């Protein structure tokens, strides 16, 4: 052996080591979290141009006196005791009140609060997945899909939907706390899990399925279940030691894991009861037929899947088809769901597929329409939580296939960036549709069919802008597609009457009368009809409508005032004063007291008239305006104010 060969033989073998990472794990996570926030802010920046819309922003914020008052003990008390808007979500009310405290009614502050919460949710999702699985890049991709998918725009860009991003915040914090509890154990840590879940339920009850999600989380990625299988792929194995340290979870029986969730299930049950009480009190629960609800739910699942992978023609309102869905569409949708479920079962060794698919199916159950709340077939905001399951299943599946086939990272990175840029661009455009009510509802009409709600809301949005003729056309279009309740028809008739379409208003009141469900409603319709007849100069029919209205409800203030005006027209000032006096006992107003004063003066009761004038001036916020309104009412009845 030569000397050189001998020297080589005695040298230690050179071990090839991978290059050291550019950043440590903690620094890398921080940089990636900042990247998620920057992406979210960049693509959601158009919200600075958006105002409030007439899609509940008025009742939640701009027209809600409690919220506008800001944070105070009175607001807190109201938030926890109110069933306003058919919901019990005190944390959401307090969030809106805080916005009003900080930003008043500047919509930019309200919108940016939701954007920041959405960004925080993306970070929490990334850290949750990375911490539980030890896999950074798949976790980042799921979080980025969540941050930029256009279906989530509705949850963020709609000011009144703060409850969605807020409840998601506490949903994710609960999952983080649960991981802490699983690693360390202890009653205090479990109490933190329950406390965060309770706060989330008080933001929005849609996260009611969280205890069941935790059972899925036990199955994967925590692998706390004692269910054994001989075949599990690398990416679906238990989290790495680096992720868990020395606190790897101990496998438990399903019975133990279920009983562990019972306190959380009780919280969920309590939230469900409160939600049903609130929705029943607010009349939000619809009595759609069972076949119609079931058929729509099956089709809606597939439509959600379609929008996850092809997010086109997104709208803020999708009309419910009722029983109009063809049987073939329901059958085809059921076949798709069964087929996908069979595939997941076939590949059940890849636990992330089971968890992702059941996450999607299960978290949609409360909002899929089996209990019909509202009149929509589905809603983009309902996908905010369920789509996480789909993102996990798809991303982890692609990552595992790439690992098995040794696909270079760049081959995945470039398509991933292109997908995210495409989704971000679509979100950027979708946010623009939320700029104002007219833009929002016009877009809904352009991407949906037979959308009576969109016509209705667009009509009132145009009315606010003073476009009365276009507004009436939209309201008529809405009524051609849907049979509205009596009081809704009254609102349309009032608008038509106020804008010179008196005969059309009379016809509208007639339609409302036919669908009035009770005496109180009929009295309201008849009193408004009497006013329309007076405006049209048909005083005989006005008298009949007044009399009929007072038969239905002798205390209807509008009918009493109209009856007084007609009596004054006939010169019966005593009867007029009597009717006005009765009306003021029921619903006192400055205009009503002025009318009573005029009638008393004409009847020769000057001292009483002066006292009534003084009362009118005392309660009036604008006495000159009240005098003008009283004169207009008298003129409508053909009586000249003195």
């Amino acid at each position: 052996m030569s000397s050189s060969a001998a020297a080589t033989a005695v040298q230690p073998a050179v071990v090839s080591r991978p290059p050291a990472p550019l950043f440590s794990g903690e620094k890398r996570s921080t940089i990636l979290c900042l990247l998620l926030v920057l992406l979210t802010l960049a693509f959601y920046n158009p919200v600075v141009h958006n105002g409030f819309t007439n899609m509940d922003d008025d009742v939640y914020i701009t027209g809600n006196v409690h919220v506008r008052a800001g944070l105070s003990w009175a607001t807190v008390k109201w938030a926890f005791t109110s069933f306003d808007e058919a919901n019990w979500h005190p944390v959401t009310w307090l969030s809106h009140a805080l916005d009003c405290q900080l930003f008043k009614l500047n919509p930019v502050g309200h919108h940016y609060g939701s954007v920041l919460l959405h960004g925080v949710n993306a970070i929490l999702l990334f850290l949750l997945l990375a911490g539980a699985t030890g896999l950074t890049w798949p976790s980042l991709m799921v979080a980025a899909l969540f941050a930029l998918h256009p279906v989530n725009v509705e949850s963020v860009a709609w000011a009144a939907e703060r409850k969605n991003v807020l409840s998601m915040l506490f949903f994710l914090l609960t999952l983080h706390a649960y991981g802490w509890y699983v690693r360390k154990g202890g009653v205090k840590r479990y109490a933190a899990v329950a406390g965060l879940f309770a706060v989330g339920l008080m933001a929005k009850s849609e996260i009611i399925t969280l205890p069941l999600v935790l059972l899925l989380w036990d199955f994967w990625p925590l692998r706390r279940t004692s269910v054994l299988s001989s075949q599990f792929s690398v990416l679906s194995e238990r989290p790495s030691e680096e992720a868990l340290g020395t606190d790897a979870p101990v496998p438990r029986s399903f019975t133990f894991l279920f009983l562990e969730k019972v306190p959380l299930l009780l919280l969920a049950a309590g939230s469900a009861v409160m939600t049903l009480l609130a929705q029943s009190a607010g009349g939000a629960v619809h009595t759609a037929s069972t076949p119609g609800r079931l058929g729509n739910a099956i089709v809606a699942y597939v439509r959600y899947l379609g929008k996850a992978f092809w997010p086109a023609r997104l709208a803020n309102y999708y009309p419910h088809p009722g029983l109009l869905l063809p049987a073939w569409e329901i059958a085809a949708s059921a076949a798709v769901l069964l087929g996908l479920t069979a595939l997941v079962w076939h590949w059940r060794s890849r636990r992330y597929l089971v968890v992702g698919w059941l996450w999607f199916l299960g978290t949609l159950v409360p909002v899929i329409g089996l209990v019909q709340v509202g009149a929509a077939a589905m809603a983009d905001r309902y996908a905010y939580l369920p789509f996480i399951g789909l993102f996990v299943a798809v991303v982890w599946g692609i990552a595992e296939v790439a690992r098995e086939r040794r696909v270079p990272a760049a081959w995945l990175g470039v398509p991933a960036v292109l997908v995210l840029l495409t989704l971000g661009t679509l979100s950027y455009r979708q946010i623009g549709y939320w700029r104002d009510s007219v833009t929002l509802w016009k877009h809904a009409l352009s991407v949906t069919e037979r959308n009576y709600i969109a016509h209705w809301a667009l009509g009132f949005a145009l009315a606010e802008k003073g476009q009365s003729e276009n507004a009436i056309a939209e309201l008529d279009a809405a009524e051609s597609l849907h049979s509205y309740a009596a009081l809704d028809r009254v609102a349309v008739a009032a608008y038509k009457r106020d804008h010179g379409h008196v005969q059309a208003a009379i016809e509208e009141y007639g339609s409302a009368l036919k669908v009035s469900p009770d005496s109180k409603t009929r009295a309201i319709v008849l009193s408004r009809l009497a006013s329309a007849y007076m405006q049209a100069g048909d005083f005989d029919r006005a008298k009949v409508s007044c009399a009929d209205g007072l038969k239905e409800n002798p205390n209807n203030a509008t009918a009493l005032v109209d009856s007084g005006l007609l009596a004054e027209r006939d010169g019966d000032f005593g009867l007029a004063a009597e009717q006005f006096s009765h009306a003021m006992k029921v619903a006192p107003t400055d205009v009503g007291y002025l009318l009573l004063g005029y009638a008393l003066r004409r009847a020769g009761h000057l001292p009483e008239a002066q006292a009534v004038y003084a009362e009118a001036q005392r309660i009036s916020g604008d006495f000159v305006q009240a005098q003008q309104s009283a004169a207009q009412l008298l003129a409508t009845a053909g009586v000249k104010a003195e």
Side-chain angles (χ1 to χ4, degrees):
M1 181 183 295
S2 66
S3 60
S4 61
T8 302
V10 299
Q11 288 178 351
V14 176
V15 179
S16 176
R17 296 182 180 180
L22 185 60
F23 300 107
S24 67
E26 188 173 331
K27 288 184 178 179
R28 182 175 60 181
S29 293
T30 301
I31 292 171
L32 294 178
C33 288
L34 290 173
L35 177 62
L36 280 172
V37 172
L38 289 175
L39 283 173
T40 303
L41 294 179
F43 285 106
Y44 272 86
N45 190 61
V47 296
V48 300
H49 306 296
N50 292 3
F52 295 113
T53 70
N54 65 355
M55 190 175 170
D56 286 351
D57 286 354
D58 50 350
V59 293
Y60 270 80
I61 304 168
T62 60
N64 190 309
V65 294
H66 303 283
V67 168
R68 290 180 61 175
L71 287 178
S72 65
W73 173 245
T75 303
V76 172
K77 183 179 178 181
W78 167 79
F80 277 89
T81 57
S82 170
F83 280 171
D84 282 19
E85 299 313 303
N87 277 299
W88 185 75
H89 43 37
V91 172
T92 293
W93 288 129
L94 295 177
S95 172
H96 286 304
L98 176 61
D99 279 354
C100 286
Q101 183 93 22
L102 297 174
F103 312 114
K104 305 305 179 185
L105 293 182
N106 183 344
V108 176
H110 294 258
H111 288 311
Y112 242 93
S114 293
V115 172
L116 291 174
L117 283 171
H118 182 55
V120 171
N121 288 341
I123 290 174
L124 288 173
L125 180 58
F126 164 62
L127 295 176
L128 176 71
L129 290 169
T133 66
L135 297 171
T136 299
W137 298 109
S139 302
L140 179 66
M141 187 63 185
V142 169
L145 287 171
F146 171 80
L148 300 181
H149 200 288
V151 163
N152 288 342
V153 165
E154 179 172 291
S155 297
V156 184
W158 180 16
E161 195 52 29
R162 168 65 62 79
K163 54 193 172 186
N164 224 24
V165 292
L166 195 58
S167 63
M168 177 64 85
L169 173 71
F170 289 100
F171 179 95
L172 294 171
L173 287 174
T174 304
L175 278 171
H176 276 275
Y178 184 71
W180 181 44
Y181 158 75
V182 166
R183 291 192 300 272
K184 302 290 186 181
V187 174
K188 290 183 179 179
R189 295 180 182 88
Y190 190 92
V193 173
L196 288 167
F197 180 41
V199 176
L201 289 171
M202 289 188 285
K204 188 178 184 181
S205 61
E206 186 181 340
I207 65 168
I208 199 171
T209 55
L210 187 139
L212 303 180
V213 169
L214 293 181
L215 287 173
L216 294 176
W217 206 244
D218 288 332
F219 182 69
W220 182 90
L222 298 184
R223 284 182 56 87
R224 294 182 71 205
T225 59
S226 57
V227 177
L228 299 177
S229 176
S230 60
Q231 293 181 344
F232 288 102
S233 58
V234 172
L235 289 184
S236 61
E237 282 287 0
R238 187 178 300 181
S240 66
E241 292 183 5
E242 180 184 357
L244 291 174
T246 59
D247 300 314
V250 177
R252 302 284 189 176
S253 67
F254 177 79
T255 301
F256 176 89
L257 296 175
F258 179 80
L259 292 176
E260 182 184 55
K261 311 300 185 296
V262 167
L264 304 180
L265 289 168
L266 292 175
L267 281 175
S271 176
V273 170
M274 293 295 288
T275 299
L276 287 175
L277 288 173
Q279 290 172 346
S280 298
V285 179
H286 288 224
T287 56
S289 66
T290 300
R293 285 185 280 116
L294 183 59
N296 178 73
I298 293 171
V299 173
Y301 265 116
V302 176
R303 291 182 68 189
Y304 280 118
L305 280 171
K307 291 187 183 299
F309 294 98
W310 192 259
R313 301 179 68 82
L314 302 180
N316 61 312
Y317 186 86
Y318 302 98
H320 197 291
L323 294 174
L324 298 179
L325 281 171
W328 69 263
E329 187 174 359
I330 298 173
S333 298
V336 169
L337 294 176
L338 290 173
L340 289 172
T341 303
L343 286 175
V344 169
W345 176 250
H346 178 71
W347 289 322
R348 61 189 178 277
S349 62
R350 303 171 187 260
R351 293 192 175 196
Y352 57 82
L353 288 179
V354 177
V355 170
W357 182 241
L358 293 181
W359 180 308
F360 168 71
L361 294 179
T363 55
L364 264 176
V365 168
V367 291
I368 200 63
L370 295 175
V371 176
Q372 187 64 37
V373 177
M378 57 185 291
D380 291 354
R381 61 189 178 274
Y382 294 158
Y384 194 65
L385 171 59
F387 273 16
I388 292 175
L390 294 181
F391 297 154
V392 166
V394 171
V395 170
W396 251 258
I398 292 173
E400 183 155 355
V401 170
R403 180 195 59 81
E404 291 172 349
R405 300 190 178 185
R406 301 182 183 279
V407 176
W411 287 24
L412 292 179
V414 172
V417 170
L418 290 176
V419 167
L420 293 177
L421 287 176
T422 300
L423 293 176
T425 302
L426 292 174
S427 291
Y428 190 95
R429 185 179 68 174
Q430 190 70 21
I431 291 165
Y433 297 133
W434 288 84
R435 183 170 63 248
D436 56 53
S437 300
V438 172
T439 304
L440 180 66
W441 293 110
K442 281 186 175 180
H443 172 69
L445 288 171
S446 72
V447 297
T448 60
E449 297 178 355
R450 300 183 61 81
N451 197 334
Y452 64 91
I453 290 289
H455 282 295
W456 177 270
L458 177 58
F460 283 105
L462 292 169
E464 289 182 4
K465 291 183 174 293
Q467 301 179 31
S468 59
E469 296 302 319
N470 291 335
I472 289 172
E474 293 296 334
L475 294 173
D476 287 341
E479 287 195 83
S480 70
L481 297 172
H482 180 73
S483 179
Y484 279 100
L487 295 181
D488 291 330
R489 294 175 183 269
V490 166
V492 174
Y495 183 79
K496 290 181 176 180
R497 177 189 155 201
D498 291 343
H499 290 82
H501 296 260
V502 181
Q503 192 56 45
I506 290 172
E507 294 173 3
E508 196 75 55
Y509 285 128
S511 299
L513 193 59
K514 293 177 182 177
V515 296
S516 296
D518 50 46
S519 293
K520 185 178 179 180
T521 305
R522 285 192 294 273
I524 293 171
V525 176
L526 286 165
S527 65
R528 302 298 193 278
L529 181 58
S531 299
Y533 276 135
M534 279 199 291
Q535 189 171 342
D538 192 341
F539 298 106
D540 290 335
R541 289 185 178 178
K543 289 179 183 178
V544 173
S545 293
C546 269
D548 290 343
L550 290 173
K551 287 179 183 177
E552 297 286 351
N553 181 7
N555 292 320
N556 184 284
T558 303
L560 288 166
V561 168
D562 286 342
S563 179
L565 290 170
L566 290 167
E568 198 156 3
R569 171 184 171 80
D570 292 339
D572 192 342
F573 303 119
L575 176 60
E578 181 182 333
Q579 298 293 68
F580 290 140
S581 179
H582 187 174
M584 291 308 95
K585 292 177 182 177
V586 175
T589 64
D590 51 0
V591 174
Y593 275 117
L594 284 173
L595 292 173
L596 174 58
Y598 295 152
L600 288 170
R601 189 175 62 188
R602 288 188 172 110
H605 303 291
L606 295 180
E608 293 90 335
Q610 291 298 326
V612 168
Y613 288 145
E615 180 64 14
Q617 195 161 12
R618 186 185 69 81
I619 69 172
S620 180
D622 187 340
F623 192 64
V624 174
Q625 179 60 48
Q627 289 176 313
Q628 293 174 353
S629 298
Q632 289 172 356
L633 286 173
L634 289 167
T636 300
V639 179
K640 184 177 180 180
E642 297 179 1

